[in-house]
Amino acid sequence: KLGAMFRRRGDTDRAIQAFRQALHINDRLYPVYMELAELLVAKGEPDEADRLYRRVLRTAPDEELVAQAGRLSMQRNMVKGTLADLENDLLPLCLGNPSKKVYRRLLIEVYGHLAFPLVQKVRFGEGAEAEAARVQLVKLGARGIKPLLDALSEEQRSQVTTAIDVLTYVGNRSAAPALIAFALGSTEQPLRVKAMIATGVLRDPALLPRYEELVAPKDQEAAVPGDPVTVAAAWSVARMVDRKATPLLFRMLSSGAPEVRVFGALGLGLLREKKAAPALEDLARAPDGASLARAAAALALGELEATTAAPTVLSLASGPDPIVRIAALAALARLRHASVQPQALRALFSEHEAERRAAASILVALQPTTAPRPRELLPVPLGVVEVRSVLDSMLPGGFSPAERARTLVALEAELARTAAAAAASPEQAIRVADALLARPTAGFAPFTDGLEALPAAERAAAEKSALAIRKAVIPAFAALIHHPSVALKVRAIRVLEGSSEDAASTALMEALQDSDESVVRAALAALASSPGVRALSPVSRLLTTSPSWSLRAASAEVLGILARREGAEVAFQALSRAATSDAFSVVREASLRALAAAKAPGLASILEKAQQDPEPSIRELAARLRGAP
């Protein structure tokens, strides 16, 4: 009571002294431990406060007080990075007091905090760092397996979720029976899916009979397409990569659920099961087969390096379904088939973004200078198993900007021919333009993505190749200037911008006569950025005759730039007339600025006349320009 009184008065030191005396007299005053610890934290002595929390944790009979002390201690140790010390206290308490759930709940929270950074390193780290994190997770799972498994029967969802998340990465096969029983139980579906994925990470052949109940039931009509738990079980069988799973994988090929067929095919491919090639070909050719299953079959044939199946894969690569085409293209790359590069080049300008991205990656992977990419087979998903994401993970990818740039240089001639042929089609021309315009300077996406990070010599070589590709498509884009699509015409103008080719110059000047204002505006901007184009006369005519005041103003600005480069009298005459007699002040102002920037002859008399303009802003501008040195 004396300590509480001093605390109310704000006398912290005397309150601490009184609380300590009280605990010396009676060391079971657990609420006093908590008050004293709070004062010590405020005073900047967190270590002593933590010792008091640990005392409450170990000896207090009140579970609510134990939980409070445990969480406060957890916060302190998270800041210090010493959560493992708290685990050392909690683990024996948990094992020695199985009836007190509070110890297990606190321990599971600690495991969640300990495992999270390690899981991130395993998922996204590389090399020694990822391996060290994996070793630490295994050790954590070895010592904490019992409380983690006991937590699966908790009524608190957060406890179950944390336990499954940790068990997914600790790699302890003794957890397999409990996890599979949980996954096949009657709890809510998202947790069952997480548990099933956790079993798949273990790669335990002893679970095959339990998986079979879902992925290959005796009554195939009972199979439910798209059931997330069944899909996770099929993923687990494929991820096992164990010969003991071969019979079940063959049975999965005839499942009524397309997702199960997908993982049956992938599993056989990852096992390099050569005897599966005929069955995989049948699945790939099935006219009524699901696209994802046929794509998986194509990828599996590539994994098997089944050269005898090349005609089947080749026919899939030119089929109507983009998912199947992408998979077949990747399979042809694995087979090193002669047609894979031409096929990938054509796919660069497909209407499907995923196909374009895959084609570019395959071209990079085919280069002898590209290092082989180690890959994790069927990586652990964050949530449910998404079949499309799994198939995407089987495709080549993860290449560096340097590897992409080297591919651009190596394939410059082939890419130029392909881009020129594609640009002849208005639909594909848009995609060619988007690739060329991906960078403010020379670019050809995705091969020039991240180019800024490369050394100057490599960047210059890639930019040179990108400019060569742009030059190859100039005739095709010049012909598109009269296409009905405004979006296509604007893109064509941007591609032609800066080119010294006669076809580009002619097309840009023809675009000045377009009926759409946005096209004309784009052409004006392109002419201003194209030093080799002689466009004084058409731009002067536009300034003089256009009914649109905004286009006249834009023409005046561009004409000033052209006049500075070429210095032609026709430009100065058009600007002088506009500066003094145009009906719109915006046009007059733009013309005055252009004349001043071009240092036009007779500028002084034009400015003197402009000082009599009825618009105040024009008079102010003229006065300012006259006063300029």
Side-chain angles (χ1 to χ4, degrees):
K1 288 180 179 178
L2 188 62
M5 182 189 72
F6 284 133
R7 186 177 184 183
R8 285 195 301 272
R9 292 180 179 180
D11 192 342
T12 302
D13 291 337
R14 294 177 73 180
I16 289 173
Q17 184 181 358
F19 284 144
R20 280 177 172 157
Q21 277 188 298
L23 292 173
H24 181 71
I25 296 167
N26 182 358
D27 63 357
R28 299 183 67 79
L29 294 172
Y30 296 109
V32 175
Y33 283 103
M34 302 299 288
E35 289 199 68
L36 177 56
E38 190 176 341
L39 290 174
L40 289 169
V41 170
K43 196 179 177 184
E45 299 179 25
D47 291 343
E48 186 177 352
D50 190 46
R51 285 193 290 272
L52 296 174
Y53 291 139
R54 302 287 184 94
R55 177 67 182 271
V56 174
L57 193 64
R58 288 190 297 268
T59 59
D62 185 341
E63 290 198 8
E64 192 172 321
L65 206 58
V66 169
Q68 183 184 356
R71 291 194 174 93
L72 288 169
S73 179
M74 209 180 300
Q75 290 175 11
R76 302 281 170 263
N77 285 278
M78 283 176 66
V79 172
K80 291 175 61 181
T82 55
L83 268 180
D85 293 341
L86 180 59
E87 183 210 358
N88 292 336
D89 277 1
L90 280 170
L91 185 56
L93 288 170
C94 175
L95 297 176
N97 300 274
S99 61
K100 293 188 74 170
K101 292 183 179 180
V102 65
Y103 290 133
R104 187 180 69 221
R105 288 172 177 170
L106 288 170
L107 184 60
I108 295 301
E109 288 184 38
V110 169
Y111 282 150
H113 291 305
L114 283 173
F116 180 76
L118 299 175
V119 169
Q120 298 307 303
K121 289 177 183 177
V122 170
R123 286 188 64 86
F124 306 112
E126 294 181 357
E129 181 188 43
E131 186 56 34
R134 188 176 285 106
V135 169
Q136 290 184 60
L137 282 170
V138 169
K139 290 178 179 177
L140 186 150
R143 62 181 182 262
I145 189 66
K146 186 180 186 311
L148 286 166
L149 292 178
D150 289 344
L152 295 177
S153 60
E154 265 281 3
E155 61 269 14
Q156 292 186 4
R157 190 182 192 278
S158 60
Q159 288 276 300
V160 180
T161 302
T162 302
I164 294 174
D165 287 342
V166 176
L167 287 168
T168 300
Y169 289 94
V170 298
N172 194 323
R173 283 192 174 181
S174 60
L179 285 169
I180 195 74
F182 185 93
L184 296 175
S186 58
T187 186
E188 55 184 292
Q189 190 183 77
L191 289 177
R192 292 173 59 211
V193 173
K194 288 171 76 73
M196 187 63 79
I197 290 171
T199 68
V201 176
L202 297 174
R203 294 191 167 105
D204 188 356
L207 298 179
L208 284 170
R210 305 302 303 276
Y211 291 139
E212 188 173 2
E213 296 173 22
L214 287 175
V215 301
K218 292 183 174 58
D219 181 10
Q220 282 291 350
E221 294 182 0
V224 181
D227 172 50
V229 179
T230 302
V231 174
W235 172 86
S236 300
V237 178
R239 194 177 190 274
M240 198 175 294
V241 194
D242 191 297
R243 291 289 169 189
K244 294 176 183 176
T246 304
L248 179 55
L249 289 168
F250 270 104
R251 289 182 61 192
M252 287 164 61
L253 291 181
S254 58
S255 170
E259 299 86 359
V260 174
R261 297 201 297 275
V262 165
F263 289 109
L266 293 181
L268 290 167
L270 295 175
L271 272 173
R272 307 288 193 272
E273 183 56 64
K274 298 288 187 182
K275 294 178 182 177
L280 291 171
E281 277 197 80
D282 290 341
L283 180 59
R285 287 194 299 254
D288 57 344
S291 298
L292 292 173
R294 297 174 69 215
L299 286 170
L301 288 167
E303 292 291 326
L304 293 180
E305 297 183 359
T307 53
T308 56
T312 297
V313 179
L314 194 58
S315 66
L316 295 177
S318 55
D321 196 312
I323 297 173
V324 180
R325 288 202 304 268
I326 292 170
L329 202 57
L332 288 172
R334 292 276 293 175
L335 297 173
R336 293 283 167 175
H337 195 274
S339 70
V340 63
Q341 182 167 298
Q343 293 263 19
L345 286 166
R346 286 194 293 274
L348 276 178
F349 305 109
S350 163
E351 61 180 311
H352 301 281
E353 183 185 354
E355 189 171 5
R356 299 197 297 270
R357 189 171 59 247
S361 294
I362 287 167
L363 288 171
V364 177
L366 289 171
Q367 299 309 303
T369 55
T370 299
R373 280 291 180 281
R375 56 178 179 163
E376 182 183 1
L377 302 178
L378 306 185
V380 181
L382 288 174
V384 298
V385 177
E386 293 282 355
V387 176
R388 182 64 185 272
S389 299
V390 171
L391 293 178
D392 286 344
S393 72
M394 302 285 289
L395 303 175
F399 300 110
S400 68
E403 288 170 320
R404 291 195 293 267
R406 285 196 291 269
T407 302
L408 175 64
V409 174
L411 297 179
E412 176 189 310
E414 292 87 344
L415 289 169
R417 284 196 297 271
T418 304
S425 160
E427 293 76 16
Q428 288 187 310
I430 289 180
R431 295 186 281 276
V432 175
D434 289 343
L436 290 167
L437 300 171
R439 293 180 76 234
T441 54
F444 191 65
F447 300 99
T448 52
D449 293 349
L451 205 58
E452 290 72 17
L454 299 186
E458 290 185 55
R459 186 168 64 250
E463 288 179 340
K464 181 181 177 184
S465 294
L467 288 172
I469 295 170
R470 180 179 282 205
K471 184 176 181 180
V473 302
I474 291 299
F477 278 97
L480 292 171
I481 287 295
H482 301 294
H483 193 273
S485 168
V486 171
L488 183 54
K489 285 188 285 191
V490 170
R491 279 183 173 84
I493 288 168
R494 291 185 60 198
V495 171
L496 299 173
E497 183 177 331
S499 172
S500 59
E501 300 287 314
D502 291 341
S505 305
T506 303
L508 290 177
M509 286 190 279
E510 288 177 358
L512 292 177
Q513 302 170 32
D514 198 273
S515 58
D516 190 280
E517 194 168 309
S518 60
V519 175
V520 179
R521 194 177 297 278
L524 285 169
L527 288 168
S529 304
S530 304
V533 180
R534 302 291 177 178
L536 281 172
S537 294
V539 177
S540 298
R541 187 161 52 252
L542 191 65
L543 173 60
T544 305
T545 62
S546 175
S548 167
W549 64 266
S550 62
L551 279 183
R552 294 201 303 276
S555 301
E557 183 179 348
V558 172
L559 199 55
I561 296 170
L562 298 177
R564 286 200 297 275
R565 290 205 301 249
E566 303 175 35
E569 181 63 27
V570 63
F572 296 133
Q573 288 176 359
L575 286 169
S576 299
R577 282 196 300 272
T580 54
S581 60
D582 196 279
F584 282 78
S585 62
V586 175
V587 181
R588 299 198 299 274
E589 182 176 339
S591 300
L592 279 178
R593 292 184 186 279
L595 286 166
K599 295 182 172 56
L603 177 62
S605 61
I606 297 170
L607 292 175
E608 184 178 354
K609 187 174 181 181
Q611 282 189 283
Q612 309 302 318
D613 196 281
E615 182 63 40
S617 62
I618 302 293
R619 297 197 298 270
E620 291 173 11
L621 174 63
R624 194 161 59 249
L625 292 173
R626 286 191 76 185

